[in-house]
């Protein structure tokens, strides 16, 4: 991808502007980010627990799913109910009793969950893997998926991608959507299996229809590029919209760009700005850069050089530099530059803290 800019206009990294007076008549084009590596595998299943959100979260993996409830006299199994409410010791006791009395497969999966996370019992990956394996051997798709994640991550034993792939395939055949998504990633990657975009698209479709935002985003990318499916900008935009609604940050950025440019969807510059603002606040350097671009020029939103400088500085700290924006910043008054730098400082401090905590 190339970056073009002309006199009297600013182009933020990978944004193309038209020169001179034509810039006021021809819509500014936002260029989508370069293709990135395959998305991360789906998260290992876990119950939804309240937790403090990170300041700048990265794109989330597909929503975790707790083990399916076990029927007990027409009601949700009390072990599962206790688990969902966070009463893990109670869940452990009930699940253990149900395994001993009835060989309950879902209870086996639940015991695997408790040992895997150290909830109600001391964390023990070996015991977790044993319970997952017992349940998987008896046909529980959630246990198959969880055990596949163990094999991929080397938990409870040595990493075994081949066994993980087999488990994902089995779980996907039983309708487990996150397993279908992760299996699609393996076909996209082309290491465990010969690279097969068509098969990846089929698996992503299953997971996308189940509402997994990461799968919707991955499938949108295939439709956008015409890999494994017929190139279809409208379908790509529809899927990006769905994934963006599901809070997938990458999809929010790319759908915003599609809206701004009118690619596969009616042009909506105001809607694009709103999505870029959301993704920028979540810490996406690409969104921060594109938003700075727009604010510097004033398309879909009033021009705001202070905020444009703020987001440019933050995006640059996140690894997305932009020479034309550097020039734009230097042309501003010292007061505007100082205001933009002051607004960026809290973000820079947070980035530094995050990097220091990881070192």
């Amino acid at each position: 991808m190339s970056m073009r800019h002309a006199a009297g206009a600013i182009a933020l990294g990978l944004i193309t502007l038209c020169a001179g007076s034509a810039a006021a008549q021809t819509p500014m084009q936002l260029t989508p980010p370069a293709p990135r590596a395959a998305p991360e595998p789906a998260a290992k299943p876990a119950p939804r627990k309240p937790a403090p959100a990170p300041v700048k979260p990265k794109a989330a993996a597909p929503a975790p799913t707790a083990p399916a409830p076990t029927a007990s006299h027409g009601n949700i199994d009390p072990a599962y109910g206790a688990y969902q409410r966070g009463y893990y010791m109670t869940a452990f006791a009930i699940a253990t009793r149900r395994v001993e009395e009835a060989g309950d497969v879902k209870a086996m999966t639940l015991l695997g969950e408790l040992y895997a996370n150290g909830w109600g019992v001391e964390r023990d990956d070996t015991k977790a893997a044993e319970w997952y394996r017992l349940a998987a051997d008896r046909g529980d798709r959630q246990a198959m998926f969880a055990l596949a994640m163990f094999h991929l991550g080397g938990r409870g034993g040595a990493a075994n991608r081949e066994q993980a792939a087999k488990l994902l395939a089995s779980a996907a055949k039983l309708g487990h959507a996150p397993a279908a998504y992760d299996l699609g990633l393996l076909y996209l990657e082309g290491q465990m299996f010969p690279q097969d975009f068509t098969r990846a698209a089929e698996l992503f479709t299953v997971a996308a229809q189940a509402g997994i935002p990461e799968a919707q985003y991955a499938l949108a990318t295939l439709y956008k590029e015409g890999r494994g499916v017929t190139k279809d900008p409208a379908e790509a935009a529809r899927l990006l919209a769905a994934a963006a609604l599901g809070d997938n940050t990458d999809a929010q950025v790319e759908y915003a760009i599609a809206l701004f440019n009118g690619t596969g969807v009616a042009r909506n510059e105001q809607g694009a700005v709103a999505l870029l603002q959301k993704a920028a606040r979540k810490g996406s350097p690409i969104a921060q850069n594109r938003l700075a671009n727009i604010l510097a020029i004033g398309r879909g939103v009033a021009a705001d050089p202070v905020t444009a400088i703020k987001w440019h500085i933050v995006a640059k700290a996140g690894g997305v530099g932009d020479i034309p924006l550097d020039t734009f910043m230097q042309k501003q008054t010292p007061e505007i530059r100082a205001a933009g730098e002051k607004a960026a400082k809290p973000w820079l401090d947070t980035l530094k803290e995050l990097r220091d905590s990881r070192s």
Side-chain angles (χ1 to χ4, degrees), residues 294-345:
I294 292 172
L295 290 166
I297 299 169
R299 290 294 303 269
V301 66
D304 185 345
V306 171
T307 308
I309 290 172
K310 164 194 154 182
W311 285 125
H312 169 52
I313 292 172
V314 175
K316 195 171 182 179
V320 180
D322 193 311
I323 294 174
L325 265 184
D326 287 337
T327 303
F328 168 82
M329 181 174 170
Q330 292 306 315
K331 288 182 178 180
Q332 304 308 306
T333 66
E335 293 77 15
I336 288 177
R337 288 200 305 272
E341 291 166 355
K342 181 179 180 181
K345 189 176 184 307

Side-chain angles (χ1 to χ4, degrees), residues 30-33 217 240 244 248-260 272 275-276 278-280 284-288 290:
L30 297 184
T31 305
Y217 173 72
L240 286 174
N248 181 281
T249 305
D250 292 326
Q252 288 169 347
V253 174
E254 294 213 34
Y255 186 54
I257 292 171
L259 283 173
F260 195 91
L275 275 176
L276 287 175
K278 184 173 184 179
S284 166
I286 295 171
Q288 292 160 354
R290 302 306 195 272

